Structures are given as C-alpha cells and as structure tokens.
Amino acid sequence: QVQLAESGGGLVQAGGSLKLSCLFSGRIFNIYGLSWFRQTPGKEREFVAGINSAYATYYGDFVEGRFTISRDNGKNTIYLQMDSLNLDDTADYYCAARAVGAVTTNVGLYDAWGPGTRVTVSS
C-alpha cells in the first residue's frame, strides 16, 4: 500500500519561496505518476503540478512559471519548488500518487494521498 508524507510547509512572506517534499513508500516509486494539489476551506481540491513516470511535467494555469515540480527516483521523493508566492497561494498542499504512471487533474483518479502540509503566505 502506498504511503505519502509531505513536509516543508510553513509561514512565508509574499514574494518568498518554499520547497515542499513528498516521501513515497510501499510500492515501486518509478512507475507512479505524482502530483501536488492544494485546497482552501470551502473550495475544491485544485491541481497544482504533476510529473509522470517519464519525467514530463504539467502545471495548473495559475502557476505561471512560479513553481517547479521534480522527482528523485533514488530518494522516492517528489518536490515542489514554489517561488514568488502570493497571498492566494495560502492553502493545504497535498501529494497524490497514481499507479498508471500518468497524471491527471481529476482528484478521483489518484490511488493515494498524503495528509497534507500547510502553506501560509503573509503580507
């Protein structure tokens, strides 16, 4: 069974940077597609970025070049480097895994989720 554990969230000033990590365990990491989603109270979970098993990357429209997703197959970890953060980036960020290797914006098509890490951007 896949287990995911996010880390790296915290409080940052607007314009600053944070790097999130997600440690994967329980299955063969290399074949999974992995993504980051985020959610704020009262809103649906939103696709932030994804990286498939072939290292192709995808981003939500709102990212506009500010975030970079990457994976390290040797460490069973994916990362989300977030730069130029703004107040609208305040959310709980979740890592998600999909066994087919591809990524999708559809929340319901992921096989496993982490518990999340909170990012708060202050003015």
Side-chain angles (χ1 to χ4, degrees), residues 28-90:
I28 301 173
F29 177 76
N30 299 18
I31 67 172
Y32 275 74
L34 295 130
S35 294
W36 289 96
F37 286 78
R38 69 184 188 182
Q39 189 170 25
T40 54
K43 293 190 176 181
E44 293 185 352
R45 201 161 286 192
E46 175 182 41
F47 177 80
V48 177
I51 184 165
N52 68 17
S53 56
Y55 289 83
T57 58
Y58 306 87
Y59 295 93
D61 291 340
F62 68 89
V63 170
E64 298 178 328
R66 300 180 299 127
F67 299 174
T68 303
I69 188 171
S70 60
R71 65 189 295 162
D72 185 335
N73 285 0
K75 295 183 178 180
N76 284 12
T77 301
I78 67 166
Y79 304 95
L80 184 68
Q81 176 67 46
M82 302 189 294
D83 299 317
S84 301
L85 286 161
N86 60 55
L87 299 181
D88 291 337
D89 295 318
T90 293

Side-chain angles (χ1 to χ4, degrees), residues 10-16 85-88 90 119-123:
L11 177 64
V12 62
Q13 284 194 323
L85 286 161
N86 60 55
L87 299 181
D88 291 337
T90 293
V119 172
T120 303
V121 183
S122 65
S123 58

